[in-house]
Amino acid sequence: QVQLVESGGGLVQAGGSLRLSCAASGDTMCISVMGWYRQTPGKERELVADITSGGVTNYADSVKGRFTIARDNAKNTHYLQMNSLKPEDTAVYYCNAALGTCYSPSLDYWGQGTQVTVSS
């Protein structure tokens, strides 16, 4: 099992920045991919960005060039730096950890979610 604790959401004006953090504990050696997803009411949860244990990153087209995902393996923490925020980035952001190193198929764990609100 893995426990994920998120922090860093809040309210920001358009054009501003926020940084989300997600700290993992438990069976962290099993984590292969860590990522961030977001969800708005009435819509499915969508991938924002993810990063492998080797540092390979993947971004949604809508955030490329504005968001950066990073991972500190020593601290079992990953971060999402969000710059040039837009009102359409408003959502609940969820931290995700995929335990692909130990399980096939991979097991997914989720954080509790943190609200990001971007005002126009």
Side-chain angles (χ1 to χ4, degrees):
Q1 280 192 332
V2 167
Q3 295 77 42
L4 301 172
V5 178
E6 304 165 0
S7 60
L11 172 65
V12 65
Q13 289 188 332
S17 298
L18 283 174
R19 189 176 85 151
L20 306 182
S21 300
C22 177
S25 60
D27 294 334
T28 56
M29 74 290 293
C30 293
I31 297 174
S32 53
V33 182
M34 301 187 83
W36 291 94
Y37 289 70
R38 65 188 181 187
Q39 189 170 22
T40 54
K43 293 189 177 181
E44 291 191 358
R45 193 171 296 186
E46 64 175 5
L47 174 69
V48 176
D50 60 26
I51 184 167
T52 70
S53 56
V56 177
T57 58
N58 176 46
Y59 294 93
D61 288 343
S62 59
V63 306
K64 283 180 181 177
R66 300 188 298 121
F67 291 11
T68 301
I69 190 169
R71 179 170 178 169
D72 185 334
N73 288 329
K75 294 182 178 179
N76 295 313
T77 300
H78 70 288
Y79 309 91
L80 185 68
Q81 178 67 44
M82 304 185 293
N83 298 328
S84 302
L85 281 160
K86 304 176 181 180
E88 51 264 43
D89 294 318
T90 296
V92 177
Y93 284 69
Y94 294 91
C95 168
N96 170 268
L99 276 59
T101 303
C102 300
Y103 301 96
S104 181
S106 177
L107 291 180
D108 278 340
Y109 285 85
W110 297 92
Q112 77 278 9
T114 185
Q115 178 70 46
V116 171
T117 302
V118 184
S119 63
S120 57

